[in-house]
Amino acid sequence: MKRAVLNLSMKIMHTILLMAAIGIVFAADAAAQAQISDKKIAGTGKIEVLWLGQSATRITTVSGKVIVIDPFLTQNPKTPPQYKNLDALGKVDLILVTHAHGDHLGDGVELAKKNKAPLWGPAGLDQSLQTLGLLPPDLAPRMNKSGTITPLGPDIKITMVHAEHSSELVWRNPATGKDETLVGGEPGGFIIEFENGFKLYHMGDTGLFGDMKFIAEYYKPDLIMIPIGGHFVMSPKDAAYATNQYLKPKFAIPIHYATFPQLKGTPQEYIQALGKTSTKVFPINPGDKLTF
Ligand SMILES: [Zn+2]
């Protein structure tokens, strides 16, 4: 019995040491530690990734810049209650939206206005946001795939890449009270290269496609945030194939599952489908943070 306990504690110690060695730190209580971590992070050479459910992610860069991706928060069933208030994100320097669907554009317009931070998204989506008068042109700048932007300075490079999906913009016309389906551009993913060269690939919503191999070869992402829920995006099996055969990143965070009934895929199924792999998977919960 004692021996079993000892073995277990040694295993736990080993895991902790391993995680420390590769520079990863789990923050158990995101709410309590948010402010502390924000202070710690600036200038420490670390990148913090806070996942808030579905695809919503807050990233704090090495120099303390804050990027929010796909800010579906106030209506997101998986966002922890303390983050349903947009002020809880702290200051936001930049918003990235992968495509026009409501579970990605989410609170983007309000967040952009509140922080006077530009919302970068597919050209067609940002054009519609301008045309509808929802955002002024300076807060809805247009870009497209293969385009690299540096709105936070030359040391942070953001590139839009392909995603296999759709991007309708559904907007409720206040004059009629009825929903209208408008142009939302082409869906994409984002590759962010940080000040220290570390690269994050937030894949947005996507099905499996062969050019993931090209994206891996050309951009060499270290960390992927990969959708696994199925139905609208890759299933765990698809995502495992993409991870092992095409992307081969050092780290992976599974996202876009369990938010709605159709998104049935689980991190456990993803890990099982991966089998023996060189990728370290972090099956974190909404509100958890990782530091790279
Ligand atoms: Zn979508």
Side-chain angles (χ1 to χ4, degrees), residues 52-79:
L52 293 167
Q54 194 71 334
S55 298
T57 308
R58 186 188 74 182
I59 295 160
T60 308
T61 77
V62 176
S63 60
K65 297 282 196 303
V66 176
I67 302 170
V68 176
I69 305 179
D70 287 355
F72 173 50
L73 301 167
T74 57
Q75 305 299 315
N76 184 341
K78 290 291 173 185
T79 296

Side-chain angles (χ1 to χ4, degrees), residues 73-153:
L73 301 167
T74 57
Q75 305 299 315
N76 184 341
K78 290 291 173 185
T79 296
Q82 65 269 30
Y83 286 107
K84 300 237 177 188
N85 170 2
L86 297 183
D87 290 330
L89 292 172
K91 61 122 188 178
V92 174
D93 297 302
L94 187 75
I95 300 152
L96 301 175
V97 174
T98 58
H99 63 294
H101 292 161
D103 57 328
H104 296 262
L105 178 58
D107 302 292
V109 167
E110 202 190 329
L111 200 59
K113 285 190 199 159
K114 181 189 273 292
N115 288 278
K116 295 187 173 55
L119 182 159
W120 287 88
L125 167 60
D126 280 48
Q127 184 60 59
S128 286
L129 295 177
Q130 289 184 32
T131 305
L132 292 168
L134 295 175
L135 284 177
D138 61 319
L139 293 187
R142 301 165 68 246
M143 72 180 299
N144 227 317
K145 291 172 210 177
S146 278
T148 298
I149 56 168
T150 55
L152 298 175

Side-chain angles (χ1 to χ4, degrees), residues 236-251:
K237 188 178 161 214
D238 298 337
Y241 188 90
T243 305
N244 277 343
Q245 303 299 321
Y246 292 159
L247 296 165
K248 301 172 185 166
K250 293 187 194 80
F251 311 112

Side-chain angles (χ1 to χ4, degrees), residues 14-36:
H14 180 249
T15 305
I16 291 167
L17 286 172
L18 186 70
M19 284 164 64
I22 57 176
I24 308 295
V25 178
F26 272 103
D29 183 352
Q33 298 197 14
Q35 293 307 316
I36 302 163

